[in-house]
Each structure stands twice: as C-alpha cells, then as structure tokens.
Amino acid sequence: MFPKNFNQNDYESSNLSIQAFGKRLYKDQTVYEYLLEFLLVFCSPKEKIVTEEKTEYKGELSFHKNSDSLQYYTNPRIGLKRFIFFEKSKKEGKFPIDRENYRDIREMLKDSIYVEGEGEPEEFVTILQDAFYGFSAILKKRSWFAQSLLPIAPELIFCESIGNKGKRTKISEDSRINETERKFEFTQHSFMARGGELYYLSILLGLEGREELREILEGQLNQLVHAVGSLGQLGGFIQKKWEAREDIQREKQMQKYQCDFIPMGYQRRAEYNCKELVNLLSSSLNELDKMEYLGMGIMLQIFRMMHEQACIRAKMDTSMWLLDVSDGNRNIRKLSEQSFLEYWEAILAANMVGLENIEKIWNGTASYKKYNLDETFEFKLKEDAEKNTVGVVKTLGKDIGFIVPRKGASERMTLSEDLVTFLVMALLKPKQKVTLDTFYEKLYKHYGVVIGGKYSSLYCNQKHIGQNYEMDFRENEQGFLKLLRDSGYLRELSDATAIVVNPYEGNEI
C-alpha cells in the first residue's frame, strides 16, 4: 500500500472495495467531484504551524513533499457558498438561520459598494451573484451547501458540507456567526467521497523520485486553478468580509482532512497519469476546456488503474480493452461486450480476495449480527463492493462516453469525440506528430486499448485462438480513423501513410 506508513488496522477492517482499490471509490460521486476533490487537496495548506504569536498554514498550491503526514486543511467558506447558491437552490435545506444569514451577507455587500451615477448597490450584488453562479459545476437537485463551482480559482473550491436539519433548525436568529457557520457536518463523505483524494495519492505515487516532473505539474495546476483569478479575489473578499463581522479566527474555521491509502498496484499507471497530465496541461487550450477534458481524463485513468490492480490482486492475465468504434460491426460489438465483461469479472474477483479477512474481523460485531445468516452477510458485503467499483465504472463511464449504451444490455467500451481529444492531448506533446501505428502503440502501452493494427492480432491470439477477425478489425480501424479525422487529429499523406497530430500549441508556465 501507499503511503508506506498506512494504518494496517484501518486497511484490514475496511470493506472489500477499499481493501482492493484504496480509500476510496464511491458510487454517488460525480465526474466533476473527482476533479474538484483532487484540486482541493492540491490547493489546500498541508502544514499547520502554531506559535505563541499566531497560527499559520503553509503548503498551498503544491503536492505533499513526503508521505509521512498526508493531512490538509481547508476553510469551508460557508458564507460565500451561501451567497452564491442559496437563492437558486431547492427549498429543502433552506433553514431559517441560513435565510437570515443570506439576507445579512447581501446587506453587508450592499453597504460595501459605492455606485457612481446610475444604478443601485442591490443590482450590483445580484450581478455579482450571477457572475459566480455562471461557473456552476454541480447543481442537480441538491441543497445549496452540496453544490459546487468549476475550479476557476482556489478561493472557489469548496470542501464537503452537510447541513443537519436537527442542528440547524435549533439555531436562533441571534446566534453568533461563528456558531451558525460551524454547525455543519464537514467530516462526513457523501459527495466529496474521497475519490479525488485517491487520485491525488496516485499522482503522489507517480511523482516519487521525479522532482522535475513535480515542479512542472505544480506550475501547470497553479495556472489552471487561476483561470478567473479576479473572481477568486472577489470570493476571498466576500468570505473575509463575512467572517470579520464577529472577528472569526481562521483556525476555528479550518477543517483538517487526511488522505489514506491506495494499492501499490497503481504504480505503473501512476507514472503515466503524471506524464499525461503534463502533456494535457501544456496545451494552449483555454483553461475551462482543459478542466472539462481533465475531468473525463481522470476518470479514464482511474478506470485503467482499477483494471490493472484487479488483475494483480486476483492473479489474472494482463488486461486489455477492446473498444468498439466500428459503427455497427456485429463481431466487434460482441468482442467489446466480452472485453467489458472480463473487466467486470476482474474487479469482482479482486473484491472477493478480502472476504475471508473481513468476515474474521467483523464476526460477532453489530454489523454482522443484524443479518440472520452468514450467507446474507456475505451477500451484503459483495453487493456493497460491487456498487462502489463496477457501479462507479458503469455510471461514470457512461457519463464520459466510455461505456455504451446509456440504458439497456450489451454494454461495451467505446470512445466519444471528447475522449479522443483527451487521449490525443494526453499521449502526444503539443504539435507532436506520430504515425498511426505509433499512436496505437501508445494507446496499448498506456491503457491496454485494442482497436486495430498489430494489437488486434495479439488480442485474438490471446483471447480467440483459431478465429479470424481481420476484416472486422479493419472496419473498427476505419471507424477510429473517421473519429480522428472528424476531430481534426488525422493527417493522411499522399503515400497512404496516416499520422496523428496534436494540433495545439504549447503554453508557457
């Protein structure tokens, strides 16, 4: 496990999916929440220094330098979050004390605005709200305290906060701000469910012994999360103004979190994750587009890490992904369905490795006793593990266009145009050109992807000896070439040689 000083007892008592794949993957987390939680850890202070004079927090916008203490500290910025989301959120979760605080923060801002000429402060406060809200990332049908913005500035990346109905309805309107803002649940993981922490640990693992790569990636991520720095400064001003009403001390607001552990089986992919991020973030694409591709790319990288770890843990053959991009070839479709089924079976087999250990530890506990039969308890363990592993891949894979169809049977792996863009930018440096065969090689080396070329023969020799699918794979290749061509990444030369091009310029950090 990584880090090397992880808590063995915590590992052994964890559920099956955590033992197999690290702490943790969770079925209800969205694509953007993996990205946001990863960037939250990166942007947050990593060290708390207490002296007689003051308390300081250091290590923002950087990776942990070692794995001895993987904690991080963040201000939930509840006042700012309420200002942005409260009015437009669903009725449930709008507690009386929060409605009162929402009115107060608007009045506070109105009193801070001077308008020369026409216009009223009230209008400018609303315009400011709309400016923030225009960068919403996660709304759905959630309460205001569970919504999030795009990571356009460090001041606008929020940690998890849950408003407990019992606690918040008991708070009176004359309560001090310090009390009203702290009466949230900040340690429960429901949406920021540690998937981003797990990905962060994989990046730390990939950066071990690669200080130059660490420095480059830190600079690139720093630039990414300052996409709209002016709005971040305004957000910081609003939060500080709100806290200053009662001189709230920063250390009383700061929440401490701890990253846990991931399997060392992620190590091979972890290095590729880092290099792919460097390539992607080096492009001249605008930062908002990069965030979109980065969110999808993180999921694809996690899916690959899971499959490789599953094969290691369950002692199965090296995993391959046969992607169906053929636009209708029945044989390729069936082969891709089988490939996805093998992925599924590998994950379930990896989950089951820890079953005996879990039963030994949990035997006799309240969790064990609430089921009448051992078989029922074992079924519950398997069901929960499947939801938080295969369920993650199926749900989020469909969200990013990696798994089709969205509904119904015959699930298989494919590529959307957005995923093709991510792969081109992640596997090739800006302005780099490679032959199609070289690109196939990179796809196979990094992701185990099989589409055509010599790797289709390798796949058939390992999985379908004696069967000839040469014509079917040619159709699959033609579908992939069309994807590349339509996306602007294919150059077909006069001698019938095709090259794949990353057309984006590089940017300076």
Side-chain angles (χ1 to χ4, degrees), residues 8 60 69 138 155 183 192 204 239 268 316 415 423:
Q8 185 70 32
E60 297 97 331
S69 53
I138 299 163
E155 298 88 349
K183 287 291 174 63
M192 294 289 195
L204 280 192
Q239 179 63 28
R268 189 194 84 94
M316 301 175 74
L415 288 176
L423 288 170

Coordinates of all heavy atoms in Angstrom, one line a residue, residues 8 60 69 138 155 183 192 204 239 268 316 415 423:
Q8 N -2.4 -0.3 9.2 CA -2.8 -1.6 8.8 C -4.1 -2.0 9.3 O -4.9 -2.7 8.6 CB -1.7 -2.6 9.3 CG -1.9 -4.1 8.9 CD -1.6 -4.3 7.4 OE1 -0.8 -3.6 6.8 NE2 -2.4 -5.2 6.8
E60 N 0.1 25.7 0.3 CA -0.9 25.8 -0.7 C -0.4 25.6 -2.1 O 0.8 25.8 -2.3 CB -1.6 27.2 -0.6 CG -2.3 27.5 0.7 CD -1.5 28.3 1.6 OE1 -0.3 28.1 1.6 OE2 -2.1 29.0 2.4
S69 N 2.9 12.6 6.5 CA 1.7 13.2 7.1 C 0.8 13.8 6.0 O 1.1 14.9 5.5 CB 2.1 14.3 8.1 OG 2.9 15.2 7.5
I138 N -21.7 21.7 -10.3 CA -22.5 20.6 -9.8 C -23.7 21.3 -9.0 O -23.6 21.9 -8.0 CB -21.8 19.7 -8.8 CG1 -20.6 19.1 -9.5 CG2 -22.7 18.7 -8.2 CD1 -19.6 18.5 -8.6
E155 N -10.0 30.1 -4.2 CA -11.0 30.6 -3.2 C -12.4 30.0 -3.5 O -13.2 30.2 -2.7 CB -11.0 32.1 -3.2 CG -9.7 32.8 -2.9 CD -8.8 33.0 -4.1 OE1 -9.0 32.4 -5.1 OE2 -7.8 33.7 -3.9
K183 N -21.9 24.8 12.5 CA -22.9 23.8 12.8 C -23.3 23.1 11.4 O -24.5 23.0 11.0 CB -24.2 24.4 13.4 CG -23.9 24.7 14.9 CD -23.8 23.5 15.7 CE -23.4 23.8 17.2 NZ -24.4 24.5 17.9
M192 N -18.1 14.6 -1.8 CA -16.7 14.6 -1.9 C -16.2 13.3 -1.1 O -15.8 13.3 0.0 CB -16.1 15.8 -1.2 CG -16.4 17.1 -1.9 SD -15.5 17.3 -3.4 CE -15.7 19.0 -3.7
L204 N 0.8 11.5 -6.3 CA 2.0 11.5 -5.5 C 2.9 10.2 -5.7 O 4.1 10.3 -5.7 CB 1.6 11.5 -4.0 CG 1.1 12.7 -3.3 CD1 1.0 12.5 -1.8 CD2 2.1 13.9 -3.6
Q239 N -15.9 36.4 1.6 CA -15.7 35.5 2.7 C -15.1 36.2 3.9 O -15.5 36.1 5.1 CB -15.0 34.2 2.3 CG -14.8 33.2 3.5 CD -16.1 32.7 4.0 OE1 -17.1 32.6 3.3 NE2 -16.1 32.3 5.3
R268 N 2.4 1.5 -11.8 CA 2.8 1.7 -13.3 C 1.9 2.8 -13.9 O 2.4 3.6 -14.6 CB 2.5 0.3 -14.0 CG 3.0 0.3 -15.4 CD 2.5 -0.9 -16.2 NE 1.2 -0.6 -16.7 CZ 1.0 -0.1 -18.0 NH1 2.0 0.1 -18.8 NH2 -0.3 0.1 -18.4
M316 N -4.9 -12.5 -12.3 CA -5.5 -12.8 -13.7 C -4.5 -12.3 -14.7 O -3.6 -11.6 -14.5 CB -6.8 -12.1 -13.8 CG -7.8 -12.6 -12.7 SD -9.4 -11.7 -12.7 CE -10.2 -12.4 -14.2
L415 N -15.3 5.0 -27.6 CA -14.7 6.4 -27.4 C -15.6 7.4 -28.0 O -16.1 7.3 -29.1 CB -13.3 6.5 -28.2 CG -12.2 5.7 -27.6 CD1 -10.9 5.8 -28.5 CD2 -11.8 6.2 -26.2
L423 N -7.2 11.8 -25.2 CA -6.2 10.8 -25.5 C -5.1 11.4 -26.4 O -3.9 11.2 -26.2 CB -6.7 9.6 -26.1 CG -7.5 8.7 -25.1 CD1 -8.3 7.6 -25.9 CD2 -6.6 8.1 -24.1

